[in-house]
Amino acid sequence: MVELKTLNLEVGYGLEGDINADPISPRQVLIVRYEDISDLSIKPGELRENIVVTGIEFENFIPGSLLTFESGAAIRLTFHCEPCKRIAHLVESLKSIQRKRGILGVVIKSGKIQVGSSFQVQANKFPPLSENPYQRFLNFIIQIPSGKVVTYKQIIKGMGVDNSYLRAIPTYLKKTSDADYPLHRILDSQGHLINYVKQQKNKLLNEGVKVLSEADLLSNSNKSFVDIKDYLWKDDTIYLE
């Protein structure tokens, strides 16, 4: 969390200096409603949120809403932050803080905000992102363009989940149709081809992606890989519209 009275919001990035700032992440910012944490006797900052707001009606503080601050900075709310064991000591049960733990968001317009900044809220300005991580996985990978690849680590960022979800990616791949989604454009975190896609190498070659072998680099392994610096998909606009 950025512990400053003035925050610099950067479009397509997040909060300046914050650990969660990332162009492809739908969780650049965590915002909580003061009324929600006050009801639970939780002090501002204890949920490790970035911003606390007050004065928003509960029915308007929802994924898909747009917050626009007086400086021009604007945040699109994406999906609810799931209560986790890190905050279990603050509440009687995690169920009691469900839908009150805050909403994640992305910065869609740059600007500075500070304590006391006024803002406006527009509900249902954007489609909310799914609360289901697997659905966010599908929504992210369907956007990978021909001739580009992503790694497991990028998928985790694009889904807006913790690194612990890396072990869930193979399960997601196994239950996803490669006829409907471009699974062949997915590599493991080291850039190697994966075992869950038929004809992955040929499909990549047909799209102009050069597939190499570690044997070519005097390695004892015959794993095929892609030089991701040449083909890695980067798009910092996927959550801006």
Side-chain angles (χ1 to χ4, degrees), residues 100-145:
K100 294 184 177 181
R101 197 258 183 269
I103 303 180
L104 297 155
V106 294
V107 178
I108 65 169
K109 289 186 179 180
S110 300
K112 295 182 183 296
I113 63 173
Q114 58 188 2
V115 175
S117 291
S118 61
F119 62 90
Q120 295 180 335
V121 58
Q122 295 173 273
N124 303 310
K125 185 69 174 178
F126 298 93
L129 298 191
S130 175
E131 302 290 340
N132 185 313
Y134 175 61
Q135 188 59 54
R136 295 202 302 274
F137 165 81
L138 295 178
N139 292 343
F140 180 75
I141 67 170
I142 194 65
Q143 300 180 73
I144 310 169

Side-chain angles (χ1 to χ4, degrees), residues 148-208:
K148 294 294 182 179
V149 297
V150 299
T151 66
Y152 285 6
K153 289 182 179 179
Q154 271 188 296
I155 292 173
I156 291 298
K157 291 180 180 180
M159 290 169 58
V161 294
D162 186 83
N163 284 336
S164 62
Y165 270 83
L166 278 170
R167 60 178 178 266
I169 299 301
T171 301
Y172 289 173
L173 290 167
K174 290 176 184 177
K175 70 176 185 177
T176 303
S177 168
D178 60 2
D180 298 323
Y181 292 89
L183 302 186
H184 63 282
R185 297 170 189 160
I186 297 174
L187 309 173
D188 71 14
S189 295
Q190 285 72 48
H192 295 120
L193 273 59
I194 55 180
N195 298 321
Y196 311 104
V197 184
K198 296 178 181 179
Q199 299 295 315
Q200 183 179 20
K201 180 177 180 179
N202 289 339
K203 289 178 179 179
L204 289 173
L205 290 173
N206 288 337
E207 293 182 352

Side-chain angles (χ1 to χ4, degrees), residues 26-40:
R27 59 181 306 138
Q28 295 171 356
V29 184
L30 175 58
I31 303 176
V32 302
R33 204 174 70 110
Y34 176 75
E35 290 82 355
D36 291 331
I37 60 175
S38 179
D39 287 345
L40 296 167

